[in-house]
Amino acid sequence: MNITYTEKEIDQVAKMVIEKSTNKVLLFHAPMGAGKTTLIKAIAKHLGVVDAGNSPTFGIVNEYENKSSHLLAYHFDFYRLNDEMEALDMGFEDYLNKNVWVFIEWPNKIESFLPEKSTNIYIEVIDMTTRRITIS
């Protein structure tokens, strides 16, 4: 499935991603600045997250909750990982064993530990305001 969109259409795209996802582990493949975090924040909003905040680039993982403080999702940004073993050291496998959404930016950094049942989301930069997303 391919969708071309602008940031103004991000809410509709977020809804489609949720509907088309065959599981709760979403892998975001895109170059720096392509809009991975922007899309994840829109998805989280549609799931009922209160405050999706910023990318967890410096902390590696953010936890997202709803108004009742019920955990809804984890958002990982593995950009700064030097070795995939760092993901294991932080307990990555434990995060995957919970029944919540898991959003992973830079999944190529931890390929050995990705679950087989994941939804791949590829974001391509068309121009300054337009992106194309492919879900597989």
Side-chain angles (χ1 to χ4, degrees):
M1 174 179 171
N2 291 322
I3 304 165
T4 301
Y5 66 97
T6 65
E7 194 168 349
K8 292 178 190 174
E9 300 164 308
I10 197 84
D11 286 331
Q12 296 93 321
V13 173
K15 286 181 192 177
M16 285 187 231
V17 169
I18 293 167
E19 292 168 4
K20 300 297 179 188
S21 296
T22 56
N23 54 66
K24 291 185 174 183
V25 179
L26 307 182
L27 310 178
F28 293 83
H29 306 268
M32 183 74 73
K36 295 179 295 292
T37 300
T38 302
L39 179 56
I40 290 170
K41 286 167 52 173
I43 293 168
K45 176 183 154 192
H46 284 284
L47 293 173
V49 169
V50 176
D51 180 19
N54 296 315
S55 174
T57 299
F58 295 102
I60 298 183
V61 63
N62 283 345
E63 294 183 2
Y64 298 150
E65 300 177 340
N66 65 11
K67 291 179 185 177
S68 303
S69 298
H70 177 66
L71 182 66
L72 293 177
Y74 292 114
H75 177 186
F76 292 91
D77 185 333
F78 288 119
Y79 178 74
R80 295 194 184 281
L81 236 57
N82 294 314
D83 182 285
E84 67 181 5
M85 292 305 291
E86 292 177 53
L88 284 186
D89 292 343
M90 65 174 283
F92 177 68
E93 290 176 321
D94 293 333
Y95 287 100
L96 294 175
N97 291 324
K98 298 186 175 151
N99 188 26
V100 299
W101 288 84
V102 178
F103 310 127
I104 301 175
E105 294 187 49
W106 303 100
N108 59 309
K109 297 274 195 158
I110 59 157
E111 285 181 346
S112 299
F113 306 119
L114 294 173
E116 286 183 31
K117 295 183 179 180
S118 301
T119 300
N120 287 287
I121 299 171
Y122 299 90
I123 303 172
E124 177 186 356
V125 177
I126 304 299
D127 59 36
M128 291 293 290
T129 60
T130 310
R131 305 293 188 260
R132 178 177 301 121
I133 186 174
T134 304
I135 302 171
S136 64

